PDB file of all heavy atoms in Angstrom:
ATOM      1  N   THR A 212      94.360  74.832  82.959  1.00 38.00           N
ATOM      2  CA  THR A 212      95.614  74.379  83.532  1.00 38.00           C
ATOM      3  C   THR A 212      95.659  74.259  85.020  1.00 38.00           C
ATOM      4  O   THR A 212      96.115  73.303  85.628  1.00 38.00           O
ATOM      5  CB  THR A 212      96.745  75.407  83.162  1.00 38.00           C
ATOM      6  OG1 THR A 212      96.828  75.583  81.765  1.00 38.00           O
ATOM      7  CG2 THR A 212      98.068  75.064  83.696  1.00 38.00           C
ATOM      8  N   SER A 215      93.013  71.186  86.223  1.00 37.00           N
ATOM      9  CA  SER A 215      93.090  69.797  85.669  1.00 37.00           C
ATOM     10  C   SER A 215      93.865  68.908  86.547  1.00 37.00           C
ATOM     11  O   SER A 215      94.993  69.158  87.053  1.00 37.00           O
ATOM     12  CB  SER A 215      93.746  69.895  84.300  1.00 37.00           C
ATOM     13  OG  SER A 215      95.071  70.287  84.401  1.00 37.00           O
ATOM     14  N   SER A 216      93.106  67.812  86.833  1.00 35.00           N
ATOM     15  CA  SER A 216      93.917  66.597  87.408  1.00 35.00           C
ATOM     16  C   SER A 216      94.915  67.034  88.654  1.00 35.00           C
ATOM     17  O   SER A 216      95.992  66.643  88.627  1.00 35.00           O
ATOM     18  CB  SER A 216      94.747  65.891  86.386  1.00 35.00           C
ATOM     19  OG  SER A 216      95.267  64.714  86.900  1.00 35.00           O
ATOM     20  N   ASN A 217      94.212  67.669  89.628  1.00 38.00           N
ATOM     21  CA  ASN A 217      95.071  68.106  90.726  1.00 38.00           C
ATOM     22  C   ASN A 217      96.195  68.956  90.404  1.00 38.00           C
ATOM     23  O   ASN A 217      97.157  68.940  91.013  1.00 38.00           O
ATOM     24  CB  ASN A 217      95.517  66.995  91.564  1.00 38.00           C
ATOM     25  CG  ASN A 217      94.392  66.409  92.481  1.00 38.00           C
ATOM     26  OD1 ASN A 217      93.400  67.109  92.742  1.00 38.00           O
ATOM     27  ND2 ASN A 217      94.531  65.170  93.045  1.00 38.00           N
ATOM     28  N   GLY A 218      96.154  69.607  89.229  1.00 40.00           N
ATOM     29  CA  GLY A 218      97.246  70.531  88.727  1.00 40.00           C
ATOM     30  C   GLY A 218      98.438  69.790  88.158  1.00 40.00           C
ATOM     31  O   GLY A 218      99.415  70.367  87.840  1.00 40.00           O
ATOM     32  N   THR A 219      98.222  68.562  87.956  1.00 38.00           N
ATOM     33  CA  THR A 219      99.419  67.787  87.390  1.00 38.00           C
ATOM     34  C   THR A 219      99.311  67.622  85.909  1.00 38.00           C
ATOM     35  O   THR A 219      98.199  67.226  85.296  1.00 38.00           O
ATOM     36  CB  THR A 219      99.399  66.247  88.038  1.00 38.00           C
ATOM     37  OG1 THR A 219      99.454  66.464  89.447  1.00 38.00           O
ATOM     38  CG2 THR A 219     100.602  65.610  87.533  1.00 38.00           C
ATOM     39  N   ASP A 220     100.374  67.922  85.172  1.00 43.00           N
ATOM     40  CA  ASP A 220     100.299  67.684  83.714  1.00 43.00           C
ATOM     41  C   ASP A 220     101.534  66.806  83.450  1.00 43.00           C
ATOM     42  O   ASP A 220     102.342  66.354  84.335  1.00 43.00           O
ATOM     43  CB  ASP A 220     100.475  68.937  82.896  1.00 43.00           C
ATOM     44  CG  ASP A 220     101.735  69.753  83.307  1.00 43.00           C
ATOM     45  OD1 ASP A 220     102.717  69.194  83.770  1.00 43.00           O
ATOM     46  OD2 ASP A 220     101.625  70.966  83.105  1.00 43.00           O
ATOM     47  N   LYS A 221     101.651  66.339  82.102  1.00 42.00           N
ATOM     48  CA  LYS A 221     102.655  65.273  81.820  1.00 42.00           C
ATOM     49  C   LYS A 221     104.022  65.882  82.097  1.00 42.00           C
ATOM     50  O   LYS A 221     104.917  65.098  82.546  1.00 42.00           O
ATOM     51  CB  LYS A 221     102.438  64.938  80.307  1.00 42.00           C
ATOM     52  CG  LYS A 221     101.243  64.318  80.115  1.00 42.00           C
ATOM     53  CD  LYS A 221     101.064  63.836  78.558  1.00 42.00           C
ATOM     54  CE  LYS A 221      99.781  63.130  78.210  1.00 42.00           C
ATOM     55  NZ  LYS A 221      99.601  62.832  76.802  1.00 42.00           N
ATOM     56  N   LYS A 222     104.389  67.123  81.741  1.00 45.00           N
ATOM     57  CA  LYS A 222     105.660  67.525  82.003  1.00 45.00           C
ATOM     58  C   LYS A 222     106.102  67.581  83.427  1.00 45.00           C
ATOM     59  O   LYS A 222     107.151  67.145  83.723  1.00 45.00           O
ATOM     60  CB  LYS A 222     105.677  69.033  81.483  1.00 45.00           C
ATOM     61  CG  LYS A 222     107.024  69.700  81.698  1.00 45.00           C
ATOM     62  CD  LYS A 222     107.077  71.192  81.201  1.00 45.00           C
ATOM     63  CE  LYS A 222     106.086  71.996  82.041  1.00 45.00           C
ATOM     64  NZ  LYS A 222     106.170  73.419  81.559  1.00 45.00           N
ATOM     65  N   ASP A 223     105.093  67.967  84.361  1.00 43.00           N
ATOM     66  CA  ASP A 223     105.499  67.895  85.802  1.00 43.00           C
ATOM     67  C   ASP A 223     105.576  66.538  86.265  1.00 43.00           C
ATOM     68  O   ASP A 223     106.390  66.265  87.149  1.00 43.00           O
ATOM     69  CB  ASP A 223     104.412  68.731  86.577  1.00 43.00           C
ATOM     70  CG  ASP A 223     104.405  70.285  86.160  1.00 43.00           C
ATOM     71  OD1 ASP A 223     105.571  70.630  85.857  1.00 43.00           O
ATOM     72  OD2 ASP A 223     103.359  70.826  86.290  1.00 43.00           O
ATOM     73  N   ALA A 224     104.779  65.552  85.817  1.00 37.00           N
ATOM     74  CA  ALA A 224     104.907  64.232  86.275  1.00 37.00           C
ATOM     75  C   ALA A 224     106.270  63.698  85.907  1.00 37.00           C
ATOM     76  O   ALA A 224     106.825  62.864  86.750  1.00 37.00           O
ATOM     77  CB  ALA A 224     103.759  63.472  85.416  1.00 37.00           C
ATOM     78  N   GLN A 226     109.063  65.286  86.114  1.00 41.00           N
ATOM     79  CA  GLN A 226     109.841  65.855  87.006  1.00 41.00           C
ATOM     80  C   GLN A 226     109.908  65.168  88.285  1.00 41.00           C
ATOM     81  O   GLN A 226     110.789  65.303  89.208  1.00 41.00           O
ATOM     82  CB  GLN A 226     109.505  67.326  87.295  1.00 41.00           C
ATOM     83  CG  GLN A 226     109.711  68.201  85.999  1.00 41.00           C
ATOM     84  CD  GLN A 226     109.245  69.507  86.286  1.00 41.00           C
ATOM     85  OE1 GLN A 226     108.459  69.898  87.181  1.00 41.00           O
ATOM     86  NE2 GLN A 226     109.737  70.531  85.470  1.00 41.00           N
ATOM     87  N   GLY A 227     108.949  64.241  88.517  1.00 37.00           N
ATOM     88  CA  GLY A 227     108.961  63.498  89.814  1.00 37.00           C
ATOM     89  C   GLY A 227     108.072  64.136  90.870  1.00 37.00           C
ATOM     90  O   GLY A 227     107.808  65.294  90.871  1.00 37.00           O
ATOM     91  N   SER A 228     107.715  63.281  91.813  1.00 43.00           N
ATOM     92  CA  SER A 228     106.788  63.782  92.926  1.00 43.00           C
ATOM     93  C   SER A 228     107.542  64.819  93.798  1.00 43.00           C
ATOM     94  O   SER A 228     106.841  65.570  94.470  1.00 43.00           O
ATOM     95  CB  SER A 228     106.415  62.639  93.709  1.00 43.00           C
ATOM     96  OG  SER A 228     107.616  61.972  94.440  1.00 43.00           O
ATOM     97  N   GLY A 229     108.781  64.929  93.849  1.00 66.00           N
ATOM     98  CA  GLY A 229     109.500  65.938  94.615  1.00 66.00           C
ATOM     99  C   GLY A 229     109.176  67.313  94.221  1.00 66.00           C
ATOM    100  O   GLY A 229     109.344  68.181  95.049  1.00 66.00           O
ATOM    101  N   ASP A 230     108.718  67.534  92.996  1.00 92.00           N
ATOM    102  CA  ASP A 230     108.398  68.951  92.565  1.00 92.00           C
ATOM    103  C   ASP A 230     106.898  69.289  92.892  1.00 92.00           C
ATOM    104  O   ASP A 230     106.500  70.423  92.588  1.00 92.00           O
ATOM    105  CB  ASP A 230     108.611  68.994  90.981  1.00 92.00           C
ATOM    106  CG  ASP A 230     108.959  70.426  90.690  1.00 92.00           C
ATOM    107  OD1 ASP A 230     109.501  71.143  91.481  1.00 92.00           O
ATOM    108  OD2 ASP A 230     108.707  70.821  89.482  1.00 92.00           O
ATOM    109  N   ARG A 231     106.283  68.462  93.603  1.00 97.00           N
ATOM    110  CA  ARG A 231     104.946  68.564  93.984  1.00 97.00           C
ATOM    111  C   ARG A 231     104.751  68.314  95.463  1.00 97.00           C
ATOM    112  O   ARG A 231     105.412  67.450  96.053  1.00 97.00           O
ATOM    113  CB  ARG A 231     103.924  67.790  93.153  1.00 97.00           C
ATOM    114  CG  ARG A 231     103.878  68.286  91.783  1.00 97.00           C
ATOM    115  CD  ARG A 231     102.628  67.657  91.047  1.00 97.00           C
ATOM    116  NE  ARG A 231     102.543  68.390  89.673  1.00 97.00           N
ATOM    117  CZ  ARG A 231     102.004  69.568  89.522  1.00 97.00           C
ATOM    118  NH1 ARG A 231     101.498  70.245  90.503  1.00 97.00           N
ATOM    119  NH2 ARG A 231     101.987  70.098  88.310  1.00 97.00           N
ATOM    120  N   GLY A 232     103.877  69.204  96.052  1.00 97.00           N
ATOM    121  CA  GLY A 232     103.591  68.940  97.564  1.00 97.00           C
ATOM    122  C   GLY A 232     103.193  70.348  98.156  1.00 97.00           C
ATOM    123  O   GLY A 232     102.779  71.199  97.382  1.00 97.00           O
ATOM    124  N   PRO A 233     103.156  70.324  99.422  1.00 98.00           N
ATOM    125  CA  PRO A 233     102.711  71.566 100.035  1.00 98.00           C
ATOM    126  C   PRO A 233     103.436  72.824  99.706  1.00 98.00           C
ATOM    127  O   PRO A 233     104.564  72.855  99.391  1.00 98.00           O
ATOM    128  CB  PRO A 233     102.924  71.264 101.626  1.00 98.00           C
ATOM    129  CG  PRO A 233     102.972  69.871 101.665  1.00 98.00           C
ATOM    130  CD  PRO A 233     103.552  69.362 100.326  1.00 98.00           C
ATOM    131  N   VAL A 234     102.673  73.943  99.758  1.00 98.00           N
ATOM    132  CA  VAL A 234     103.153  75.220  99.263  1.00 98.00           C
ATOM    133  C   VAL A 234     102.818  76.278 100.282  1.00 98.00           C
ATOM    134  O   VAL A 234     101.827  76.300 101.034  1.00 98.00           O
ATOM    135  CB  VAL A 234     102.428  75.697  97.987  1.00 98.00           C
ATOM    136  CG1 VAL A 234     102.760  77.179  97.558  1.00 98.00           C
ATOM    137  CG2 VAL A 234     102.885  74.693  96.810  1.00 98.00           C
ATOM    138  N   TRP A 253      91.216  75.805  96.905  1.00 98.00           N
ATOM    139  CA  TRP A 253      92.316  75.155  96.233  1.00 98.00           C
ATOM    140  C   TRP A 253      92.678  73.860  97.108  1.00 98.00           C
ATOM    141  O   TRP A 253      92.923  72.850  96.608  1.00 98.00           O
ATOM    142  CB  TRP A 253      93.608  76.020  96.264  1.00 98.00           C
ATOM    143  CG  TRP A 253      94.885  75.306  95.934  1.00 98.00           C
ATOM    144  CD1 TRP A 253      95.704  74.769  96.940  1.00 98.00           C
ATOM    145  CD2 TRP A 253      95.513  75.148  94.741  1.00 98.00           C
ATOM    146  NE1 TRP A 253      96.715  74.190  96.312  1.00 98.00           N
ATOM    147  CE2 TRP A 253      96.727  74.409  95.028  1.00 98.00           C
ATOM    148  CE3 TRP A 253      95.078  75.404  93.369  1.00 98.00           C
ATOM    149  CZ2 TRP A 253      97.533  73.982  93.909  1.00 98.00           C
ATOM    150  CZ3 TRP A 253      95.996  74.989  92.425  1.00 98.00           C
ATOM    151  CH2 TRP A 253      97.210  74.264  92.664  1.00 98.00           C
ATOM    152  N   HIS A 257      93.118  70.015  96.058  1.00 98.00           N
ATOM    153  CA  HIS A 257      94.528  69.581  96.049  1.00 98.00           C
ATOM    154  C   HIS A 257      94.962  69.165  97.384  1.00 98.00           C
ATOM    155  O   HIS A 257      95.855  69.833  97.919  1.00 98.00           O
ATOM    156  CB  HIS A 257      95.310  70.676  95.533  1.00 98.00           C
ATOM    157  CG  HIS A 257      95.028  71.316  94.137  1.00 98.00           C
ATOM    158  ND1 HIS A 257      93.938  72.158  93.970  1.00 98.00           N
ATOM    159  CD2 HIS A 257      95.458  71.074  92.928  1.00 98.00           C
ATOM    160  CE1 HIS A 257      93.833  72.421  92.666  1.00 98.00           C
ATOM    161  NE2 HIS A 257      94.699  71.720  91.992  1.00 98.00           N
ATOM    162  N   LYS A 259      97.036  66.941  98.401  1.00 97.00           N
ATOM    163  CA  LYS A 259      98.399  66.738  98.620  1.00 97.00           C
ATOM    164  C   LYS A 259      99.299  67.898  98.332  1.00 97.00           C
ATOM    165  O   LYS A 259     100.473  67.786  98.387  1.00 97.00           O
ATOM    166  CB  LYS A 259      98.847  65.548  97.689  1.00 97.00           C
ATOM    167  CG  LYS A 259      98.125  64.244  98.052  1.00 97.00           C
ATOM    168  CD  LYS A 259      98.564  63.073  97.182  1.00 97.00           C
ATOM    169  CE  LYS A 259      97.870  61.783  97.508  1.00 97.00           C
ATOM    170  NZ  LYS A 259      98.202  60.631  96.633  1.00 97.00           N
ATOM    171  N   GLU A 260      98.577  69.032  97.892  1.00 98.00           N
ATOM    172  CA  GLU A 260      99.435  70.152  97.624  1.00 98.00           C
ATOM    173  C   GLU A 260      98.792  71.409  98.392  1.00 98.00           C
ATOM    174  O   GLU A 260      98.698  72.463  97.844  1.00 98.00           O
ATOM    175  CB  GLU A 260      99.397  70.461  96.193  1.00 98.00           C
ATOM    176  CG  GLU A 260      99.979  69.213  95.243  1.00 98.00           C
ATOM    177  CD  GLU A 260      99.644  69.482  93.782  1.00 98.00           C
ATOM    178  OE1 GLU A 260     100.598  70.111  93.173  1.00 98.00           O
ATOM    179  OE2 GLU A 260      98.693  69.048  93.224  1.00 98.00           O
ATOM    180  N   LYS A 517     110.777  74.443  97.540  1.00 95.00           N
ATOM    181  CA  LYS A 517     110.424  73.024  97.172  1.00 95.00           C
ATOM    182  C   LYS A 517     109.054  73.042  96.448  1.00 95.00           C
ATOM    183  O   LYS A 517     108.271  74.003  96.542  1.00 95.00           O
ATOM    184  CB  LYS A 517     110.407  72.176  98.397  1.00 95.00           C
ATOM    185  CG  LYS A 517     111.620  72.214  99.228  1.00 95.00           C
ATOM    186  CD  LYS A 517     111.478  71.366 100.469  1.00 95.00           C
ATOM    187  CE  LYS A 517     112.717  71.162 101.381  1.00 95.00           C
ATOM    188  NZ  LYS A 517     112.489  70.597 102.657  1.00 95.00           N
ATOM    189  N   HIS A 518     108.775  71.946  95.754  1.00 97.00           N
ATOM    190  CA  HIS A 518     107.419  71.814  95.084  1.00 97.00           C
ATOM    191  C   HIS A 518     107.271  72.870  94.179  1.00 97.00           C
ATOM    192  O   HIS A 518     106.087  73.538  94.235  1.00 97.00           O
ATOM    193  CB  HIS A 518     106.391  71.655  96.201  1.00 97.00           C
ATOM    194  CG  HIS A 518     106.838  70.588  97.381  1.00 97.00           C
ATOM    195  ND1 HIS A 518     106.453  70.885  98.594  1.00 97.00           N
ATOM    196  CD2 HIS A 518     107.541  69.483  97.233  1.00 97.00           C
ATOM    197  CE1 HIS A 518     106.975  69.947  99.327  1.00 97.00           C
ATOM    198  NE2 HIS A 518     107.476  68.960  98.490  1.00 97.00           N
ATOM    199  N   LYS A 519     108.096  73.188  93.259  1.00 97.00           N
ATOM    200  CA  LYS A 519     107.818  74.370  92.314  1.00 97.00           C
ATOM    201  C   LYS A 519     106.739  74.177  91.438  1.00 97.00           C
ATOM    202  O   LYS A 519     106.135  75.150  91.053  1.00 97.00           O
ATOM    203  CB  LYS A 519     109.248  74.708  91.637  1.00 97.00           C
ATOM    204  CG  LYS A 519     110.272  75.194  92.547  1.00 97.00           C
ATOM    205  CD  LYS A 519     111.610  75.668  91.796  1.00 97.00           C
ATOM    206  CE  LYS A 519     112.591  76.225  92.851  1.00 97.00           C
ATOM    207  NZ  LYS A 519     113.727  76.773  91.970  1.00 97.00           N
ATOM    208  N   ALA A 520     106.517  72.904  90.977  1.00 97.00           N
ATOM    209  CA  ALA A 520     105.468  72.664  90.011  1.00 97.00           C
ATOM    210  C   ALA A 520     104.095  72.993  90.738  1.00 97.00           C
ATOM    211  O   ALA A 520     103.199  73.641  90.062  1.00 97.00           O
ATOM    212  CB  ALA A 520     105.440  71.260  89.589  1.00 97.00           C
ATOM    213  N   SER A 521     103.864  72.720  91.950  1.00 98.00           N
ATOM    214  CA  SER A 521     102.746  73.023  92.701  1.00 98.00           C
ATOM    215  C   SER A 521     102.584  74.573  92.822  1.00 98.00           C
ATOM    216  O   SER A 521     101.515  74.995  92.821  1.00 98.00           O
ATOM    217  CB  SER A 521     102.621  72.346  94.032  1.00 98.00           C
ATOM    218  OG  SER A 521     102.660  70.975  93.801  1.00 98.00           O
ATOM    219  N   ALA A 522     103.782  75.177  93.177  1.00 98.00           N
ATOM    220  CA  ALA A 522     103.757  76.598  93.264  1.00 98.00           C
ATOM    221  C   ALA A 522     103.338  77.285  91.996  1.00 98.00           C
ATOM    222  O   ALA A 522     102.501  78.270  92.056  1.00 98.00           O
ATOM    223  CB  ALA A 522     105.158  77.007  93.717  1.00 98.00           C
ATOM    224  N   ARG A 523     103.757  76.837  90.922  1.00 98.00           N
ATOM    225  CA  ARG A 523     103.351  77.490  89.659  1.00 98.00           C
ATOM    226  C   ARG A 523     101.878  77.302  89.342  1.00 98.00           C
ATOM    227  O   ARG A 523     101.257  78.202  88.883  1.00 98.00           O
ATOM    228  CB  ARG A 523     104.276  76.926  88.426  1.00 98.00           C
ATOM    229  CG  ARG A 523     105.649  77.342  88.458  1.00 98.00           C
ATOM    230  CD  ARG A 523     106.322  77.060  87.178  1.00 98.00           C
ATOM    231  NE  ARG A 523     106.435  75.565  86.875  1.00 98.00           N
ATOM    232  CZ  ARG A 523     107.394  74.759  87.281  1.00 98.00           C
ATOM    233  NH1 ARG A 523     108.395  75.258  88.022  1.00 98.00           N
ATOM    234  NH2 ARG A 523     107.353  73.449  86.992  1.00 98.00           N
ATOM    235  N   ASP A 524     101.370  76.104  89.672  1.00 98.00           N
ATOM    236  CA  ASP A 524     100.023  75.920  89.406  1.00 98.00           C
ATOM    237  C   ASP A 524      99.105  76.698  90.297  1.00 98.00           C
ATOM    238  O   ASP A 524      97.919  77.149  89.940  1.00 98.00           O
ATOM    239  CB  ASP A 524      99.612  74.440  89.642  1.00 98.00           C
ATOM    240  CG  ASP A 524      99.958  73.578  88.422  1.00 98.00           C
ATOM    241  OD1 ASP A 524     100.355  74.157  87.314  1.00 98.00           O
ATOM    242  OD2 ASP A 524      99.794  72.251  88.388  1.00 98.00           O
ATOM    243  N   PHE A 525      99.667  76.829  91.534  1.00 98.00           N
ATOM    244  CA  PHE A 525      98.817  77.710  92.472  1.00 98.00           C
ATOM    245  C   PHE A 525      98.809  79.141  92.082  1.00 98.00           C
ATOM    246  O   PHE A 525      97.774  79.791  92.122  1.00 98.00           O
ATOM    247  CB  PHE A 525      99.435  77.578  93.822  1.00 98.00           C
ATOM    248  CG  PHE A 525      98.742  78.566  94.859  1.00 98.00           C
ATOM    249  CD1 PHE A 525      97.440  78.337  95.269  1.00 98.00           C
ATOM    250  CD2 PHE A 525      99.382  79.591  95.517  1.00 98.00           C
ATOM    251  CE1 PHE A 525      96.780  79.175  96.207  1.00 98.00           C
ATOM    252  CE2 PHE A 525      98.873  80.411  96.365  1.00 98.00           C
ATOM    253  CZ  PHE A 525      97.537  80.084  96.819  1.00 98.00           C
ATOM    254  N   LYS A 527      98.890  80.046  88.826  1.00 97.00           N
ATOM    255  CA  LYS A 527      97.859  80.128  87.842  1.00 97.00           C
ATOM    256  C   LYS A 527      96.486  80.257  88.278  1.00 97.00           C
ATOM    257  O   LYS A 527      95.610  80.881  87.829  1.00 97.00           O
ATOM    258  CB  LYS A 527      98.054  78.778  86.912  1.00 97.00           C
ATOM    259  CG  LYS A 527      99.426  78.726  86.224  1.00 97.00           C
ATOM    260  CD  LYS A 527      99.448  77.315  85.492  1.00 97.00           C
ATOM    261  CE  LYS A 527     100.864  77.111  84.965  1.00 97.00           C
ATOM    262  NZ  LYS A 527     100.906  75.736  84.435  1.00 97.00           N
TER     263      LYS A 527
END
Side-chain angles (χ1 to χ4, degrees):
T212 304
S215 63
S216 184
N217 279 344
T219 305
D220 58 26
K221 293 180 180 179
K222 178 181 65 177
D223 292 332
Q226 293 176 339
S228 60
D230 209 25
R231 291 199 170 276
V234 170
W253 165 274
H257 304 79
K259 295 183 179 180
E260 302 171 89
K517 299 177 181 178
H518 313 141
K519 291 185 179 182
S521 296
R523 289 193 297 270
D524 279 354
F525 176 65
K527 294 174 192 176

